[in-house]
Amino acid sequence: MDTWDGIETFLVTESMVLKHTAKLDPTVPSVDKLDFHVRYSVYSNMQIQAPPGKYYDQNTMPLEPVYTVRSLLLSALAVPLYYTALIFSISPIVTVSLFANPLFNALTCVIIFCFAVEVYGSKKIAFILSLLFGVCSFAWSYQTSFWTQPLQALTLITSAFFIYKSLHYSPSFLCHYLISNKSNGIYFAGLGGLFLGLSVFAHPTSIILVPGFIIYSIYHLRKNPRILFSFLVTVTITLFFIGLVNYLRFGSFTEFGYGYFASLQTHNGWRGLIGLLVSPGAGLFLYFPTSILLPLAAIYMNKENRSLFLLFMYIIVATWLSAGTLSFDFEPFSWWGTGWGPRYLLCILPFITIMLGSILSHIGKHTHMGKRIHIEKKTLPLTISFIALSVAGFCISLLGVLIWWQYDIVYVSEKEQLWNQDPWNLIVWNPSYSPIVLHTKMLMTDYLSHIDPQKYVDTGWNWIAYGSTPCSYDLYIFCNFGIAPVLFSLAVIAILGYCIGIQTGMFKISSKRLVFRKLYKSS
C-alpha cells in the first residue's frame, strides 16, 4: 500500500470487520503490524473536521475512533477480501493489497471492451483498447496500491456504459446476456444511475461530473421517458443515500470530511494545469503516451458520435481543471497527489482509451464485429505511431510496476545527496529526476537490494518497510516464492490471452483446427 491514504482506508476496513464500525479504530491489530502513526491520523482527521477556531493538541488529545476522509465505499468493498484472509489464515494486509485494485482495474478492462463493442462494433478494436488501458497506461502501476482512483474510474465508466447501453443492443460473446429484450433498457439506465451515485461514494470529486451525465442522459434518452425516469430516480436515490451517510458521519449532507480542503478557495493555482499534462514527473502525455493522439481521436469521434464525444470531453476537461487548479500552498502535492504519473487523472483514462478507439476505427476498414481489418497505405504512419506510443506506454508503466514509486524520494535524498533541496519539486519538474529516469537507474544498478528496511525502524521513514526491499523488484510472488510461480502465472495469462484473442478475431485459426472445433461443438 502507499504510506498513508491507502493504510487509513485499510484500517477502516479492518475496523468494519473486527470492531463493526465505519470509523478508524486506533486499536485494530494492523496499526502495530504496519507501525502506523495512528495518533497523527486521528489528530489530522479530527482537526480537518473541527469547527472554525477549535484546535486539538496531538500529544494530549484522546486516542479514540474517528471518521476519516477516505473512501468509505473502497473500505466496504475490501471487507469480503478481509474475511477471505481470515478464513484461509493468511495476511489481510497482503490479501487486500494484492486483490482489491487489480480486481477493479480488470473489471474496468471488461467494461471498456463491452463499451467499445457498442460504440465501434468491433471486438478486435475492443480487445486492443482493453489492453491499452490495462498495461499501456499508468493505471497498471496502481495495481498494488489501495488508493481510490481505480474504483472511481470503474464506477464512472460503468455508469456511462449502462446509460449508452440502454438504447443500444450490439451483441458480443462477452456481454450477449445483456440483450434478452429491449425492455432491459430501463434496468440498464437504472444501473447507470446507481454507478454514477457510487462514483461519488468512491470519491467526492465525481460530484462535478454528475451534471454532465444528467445533461447527456436527458438528450440521449429524451425519446424514451421511462428509461430516462429510471436513470434520474436511481441517481437521485443513490445521491440522497450518500448525503444521509454524510449527515450521520459529519452532521451535513454535503460534507465528506474534507472541511476547508473541499472549498473553492483551494482552487487558486494554475501550475497543475501544465504539470498534469507535460511535466516530467506527472504529465499525462508522458505516462500515457498514446494520449498524445487524443486531439485527433476527438476529431474523429466528434464526427461519428457527437453526444458521446461531448460527454467524454466534459469528463476529461472538468477533471483536469478541478485537479490542476488545486494549490492551498502545498504544491505539487495538491494537484499531483503523488504516485506514478498524474494520479488524479486516473479516473479519466477509460474515457480517453475509448476515444482513442476512433483512431483504430479510422485506420482500418472492417466488417461487422471486426472480423477482418485491412490497413490502408495512407493510414500506415498513423498505425505505426499508435503502435509505437502504445509500446512506449507499456515500457514506462512497467517501470512503475517493477519499482514502488515511494523509493524515488529515497534515491533522490540518499543516493543523489539532495537533502537540502525540495525533492518533490525536483521529481515533478526536473527531467533529470523524473521517476522514469530514477526507476531506470535503480533497475540498472539494482539499487533496491542495497536498502535495509531495518535501518529506518522508529524513524520518519519507517514506511520503507512497506515496500519490497531488499528484493530487487516490487513483485510479491517473486520476492516470496521465487521465479518459478511467476513464469507459471505468465504462461497461464498467455494461454488465456490467446483464447480471448481467438474469440475476438485477433488471431486466426487454421482450417483444420476450425473443423475440429466445429466437430467438438457438435458432439
Side-chain angles (χ1 to χ4, degrees), residues 19 24-32 38 63:
K19 303 296 182 178
L24 190 162
D25 192 309
T27 64
V28 291
S30 292
V31 169
D32 292 331
V38 72
L63 196 59

Side-chain angles (χ1 to χ4, degrees), residues 75-386:
S75 295
L77 291 177
V79 167
L81 293 174
Y82 197 100
Y83 275 115
T84 301
L86 295 181
I87 292 172
F88 290 97
S89 300
I90 54 182
S91 169
I93 299 173
V94 172
T95 304
V96 172
S97 298
L98 291 184
F99 289 99
N101 276 348
L103 176 61
F104 301 144
N105 280 344
L107 289 173
T108 303
C109 288
V110 173
I111 297 297
I112 288 174
F113 180 92
C114 291
F115 209 155
V117 168
E118 297 292 332
V119 175
Y120 302 111
S122 168
K123 291 185 292 184
K124 186 174 290 189
I125 290 177
F127 189 39
I128 293 172
L129 295 181
S130 296
L131 289 176
L132 183 65
F133 173 84
V135 296
C136 299
S137 75
F138 57 89
W140 187 19
S141 309
Y142 287 84
Q143 295 288 79
T144 53
S145 75
F146 200 43
W147 272 317
T148 190
Q149 277 71 30
L151 176 60
Q152 184 186 19
L154 172 61
T155 51
L156 285 172
I157 194 63
T158 304
S159 174
F161 166 67
F162 278 118
I163 294 171
Y164 190 83
K165 181 72 177 177
S166 63
L167 288 184
H168 297 80
Y169 305 94
S170 298
S172 75
F173 80 94
L174 186 60
C175 40
H176 65 277
Y177 60 89
L178 295 176
I179 60 167
S180 57
N181 57 72
K182 291 191 176 183
S183 65
N184 282 347
I186 296 175
Y187 305 109
F188 298 155
L191 287 172
L194 173 64
F195 278 98
L196 179 58
L198 290 179
S199 72
V200 179
F201 217 6
H203 200 285
T205 55
S206 295
I207 197 71
I208 65 173
L209 306 179
V210 171
F213 275 87
I214 292 177
I215 294 173
Y216 170 76
S217 299
I218 292 174
Y219 176 81
H220 183 60
L221 308 174
R222 64 190 184 280
K223 295 181 180 180
N224 294 267
R226 292 177 61 194
I227 296 178
L228 177 60
F229 180 77
S230 174
F231 168 78
L232 294 176
V233 169
T234 307
V235 72
T236 300
I237 293 174
T238 308
L239 291 176
F240 176 79
F241 172 75
I242 294 171
L244 184 61
V245 172
N246 286 344
Y247 181 80
L248 295 175
R249 296 168 71 198
F250 306 113
S252 170
F253 280 90
T254 59
E255 179 58 60
F256 288 86
Y258 286 89
Y260 163 78
F261 295 99
S263 66
L264 292 177
Q265 300 175 21
T266 59
H267 294 270
N268 56 0
W270 57 268
R271 293 181 182 86
L273 296 174
I274 300 173
L276 288 174
L277 296 180
V278 297
S279 68
L284 173 68
F285 297 143
L286 192 63
Y287 289 85
F288 185 24
T290 320
S291 63
I292 294 173
L293 299 175
L294 183 59
L296 181 60
I299 294 174
Y300 293 150
M301 190 174 187
N302 183 41
K303 294 179 180 178
E304 298 163 1
N305 196 329
R306 175 162 294 182
S307 60
L308 194 64
F309 160 76
L310 292 175
L311 172 64
F312 281 20
M313 287 306 299
Y314 173 82
I315 294 170
I316 293 169
V317 174
T319 303
W320 170 62
L321 290 175
S322 174
T325 55
L326 284 171
S327 180
F328 50 82
D329 298 324
F330 199 44
E331 297 192 31
F333 285 93
S334 52
W335 51 264
W336 173 31
T338 66
W340 185 257
R343 174 163 65 98
Y344 291 154
L345 297 188
L346 195 154
C347 64
I348 66 175
L349 290 186
F351 300 95
I352 294 176
T353 302
I354 292 177
M355 287 186 67
L356 291 172
S358 63
I359 293 179
L360 296 176
S361 179
H362 177 78
I363 284 175
K365 292 182 177 180
H366 55 83
T367 59
H368 181 61
M369 297 306 295
K371 293 180 180 178
R372 197 174 182 185
I373 291 182
H374 299 284
I375 304 299
E376 298 179 343
K377 289 184 178 180
K378 63 182 180 180
T379 62
L380 186 59
L382 183 58
T383 304
I384 295 174
S385 299
F386 194 97

